[in-house]
Structures are given as structure tokens and as C-alpha cells.
Amino acid sequence: MAKKDAAVTPPEEMDADHAELRVYELGFHIDPELGLEEVKKTYQTIRTLAEAGSIVAEGEPTKIPLAYTISRSETAGRRDFDASYFAWIAYEATGEGHAKVLETAGADTRIFRFLDIRTDKEAAKHSAEMYELMAKMEPMQGEEEVS
């Protein structure tokens, strides 16, 4: 007779109740039609929650074209996005702190798409370095096109 398999707890449930600090990275797209002040408020809302633990690295909102159109159903009908203000924050938090950040990102209608991953400090710091490098390269590429 075969043993019954123990109930397997989904990773999301295990992650939500842990007490030790873990590192997460949240990348999110903010509505491109918002004014710059509203974009900054949206970013600050998420950043303030992430600061309950500690910020490891971050990339402030930058307007970017999207590689493909993202559609979202709203009460007024379907809305298509071809651009966004993209921001990301790598932060250290407990399960409770992580859950609060995800809940806020999911409930904020100004954020139309987000991705949350578990990572480590070294990878997050490397992301910050690459982000800064790419930011420095963009003006240089623009100069080449103008010549």
C-alpha cells in the first residue's frame, strides 16, 4: 500500500507567514497619462511600504514605450497602454510586510501591471548597477542619432 502524500502548501502561503527577512523585487508599470506629481505619489506609496523593511536598490519611474500593447478592462470599457512609467524597488521584508506591498500594488488603479519576485541582495544590487549603466548609455545613443 502506498503512503498518502502529505498536503503540499503552495509557495505563496509559505511565503506570507514567514518571520525572517527576505529580499523581493517589485517591478511595476504606472499609467502614462498621469501627471508627473501623481506618478511620484504612486511610487512613494509603494516605496513607503517597502521601507518598513529596508530598501536594497531601486529605479525611479521612467517613461518608456512598451514592447507590446497591454489591455486592461475598466468600468468605462477596455483601456490599451502602449507606454508606461516603469519603476522598480528591491526591498527586504517579512512575509507580512511583503503581503502589504503586494496588496497595495494590486489595489492601486494607477498601477496597471506589476511583477514581484524573490531575489537576493547581490542580484538586486547588480540590477541597480545595470539600470544606472543603461541610463548613462541612453543619452550617448541619442547623440549618435542626432549627428
Side-chain angles (χ1 to χ4, degrees):
M1 211 163 160
K3 287 185 181 179
K4 287 188 176 181
D5 290 334
V8 177
T9 306
E12 299 82 28
E13 290 178 25
M14 291 184 341
D15 220 29
D17 64 356
H18 68 85
E20 73 274 2
L21 293 175
R22 293 183 180 168
V23 180
Y24 301 94
E25 186 173 330
L26 178 73
F28 52 102
H29 291 281
I30 302 170
D31 188 339
E33 294 179 6
L34 296 174
L36 202 50
E37 287 302 312
E38 194 67 22
V39 170
K40 288 179 182 179
K41 283 181 191 176
T42 304
Y43 175 72
Q44 273 309 123
T45 300
I46 299 296
R47 190 178 194 288
T48 301
L49 285 172
E51 282 179 329
S54 66
I55 303 289
V56 176
E58 62 187 312
E60 293 192 358
T62 305
K63 193 162 190 177
I64 61 166
L66 297 176
Y68 57 91
T69 301
I70 297 175
S71 297
R72 178 173 72 179
S73 295
E74 296 181 349
T75 54
R78 189 177 95 176
R79 187 145 173 241
D80 295 333
F81 298 93
D82 294 319
S84 79
Y85 284 99
F86 179 75
W88 62 275
I89 299 175
Y91 61 99
E92 198 170 32
T94 62
E96 184 180 342
H98 178 237
K100 285 180 185 176
V101 170
L102 292 182
E103 182 181 331
T104 301
D108 194 330
T109 58
R110 300 169 296 187
I111 297 174
F112 63 89
R113 174 86 38 106
F114 69 91
L115 174 69
D116 177 71
I117 60 170
R118 199 162 113 195
T119 186
D120 58 45
K121 286 184 181 182
E122 292 77 27
K125 288 178 182 177
H126 178 70
S127 293
E129 291 168 1
M130 293 304 294
Y131 181 79
E132 288 175 18
L133 181 64
M134 293 301 289
K136 288 178 185 176
M137 289 179 65
E138 284 179 13
M140 291 168 52
Q141 289 175 351
E143 290 172 8
E144 291 175 3
E145 293 173 8
V146 173
S147 298

